[in-house]
Amino acid sequence: MKTSTFSVIWAVLYAGFGLGLLFVPAQFMAPYGVTLDSYGVLMSRVLGSALTAYALAFILNRNIPLTEAAWRNLLLASVVYNLVDIPVVLMATVNGVMNSLGWLPTGLHIFLAASMGYFLFRK
C-alpha cells in the first residue's frame, strides 16, 4: 500500500477518536467502562483536540512524498505517541480501569505504531 492510502486510514482513526473525545467525552468513554468527572471531561477534550489535529495533519500530508522531512517528522511524532500510549492503555485495561473494550485502543495503538514505523524506517 501507499502512504497516501494509510494516511487516510490513520486520519479516519484519529478523527473518530478525536471528535468523540472532543464533543461527547463522557458518552464516548462509557462503553469502555470509564466514568468521567469534570476533570476527566476536560482532559478528554484536550486529548480529543490533539487527535483531531493529528487527523488533519495526516489528511493534509497524504500526497506529500515520504522523503520530505516534515512528513517523516510527523510520522516519528506519531510513532512515539503511540508507543508511549500502548503501556498506558494496556495497564488501564489490565488493572480494570477500562473494561475488555480497552483492548481495542491498545490494538489500535499497536497497529498505528507498527504501520507508521514501517513507512518511517523502510529503506
Side-chain angles (χ1 to χ4, degrees), residues 79-93 105-114:
V79 166
V80 169
Y81 159 69
N82 283 288
L83 287 176
V84 168
D85 214 30
I86 288 168
V88 172
V89 177
L90 178 63
M91 292 309 297
T93 304
T106 303
L108 284 174
H109 282 302
I110 292 168
F111 165 75
L112 291 168

Side-chain angles (χ1 to χ4, degrees), residues 11-70:
V12 167
L13 291 171
Y14 278 134
F17 278 80
L19 293 171
L21 289 168
L22 182 61
F23 292 112
V24 288
Q27 296 87 338
F28 187 83
M29 292 305 295
Y32 296 97
V34 176
T35 304
L36 299 176
D37 60 10
S38 60
Y39 302 106
V41 168
L42 170 65
M43 294 312 298
S44 293
R45 287 191 167 136
V46 169
L47 175 59
S49 298
L51 293 177
T52 302
Y54 258 129
L56 181 61
F58 279 109
I59 283 294
L60 295 176
N61 282 303
R62 71 185 178 278
N63 294 318
I64 294 174
L66 189 56
T67 56
E68 296 291 324

Side-chain angles (χ1 to χ4, degrees), residues 3 58 61 64-80 116-123:
T3 55
F58 279 109
N61 282 303
I64 294 174
L66 189 56
T67 56
E68 296 291 324
W71 179 231
R72 297 187 66 75
N73 290 340
L74 173 62
L75 280 175
L76 178 61
S78 195
V79 166
V80 169
M116 291 173 186
Y118 168 78
F119 287 107
L120 182 62
F121 297 112
R122 76 177 180 173
K123 299 288 180 195

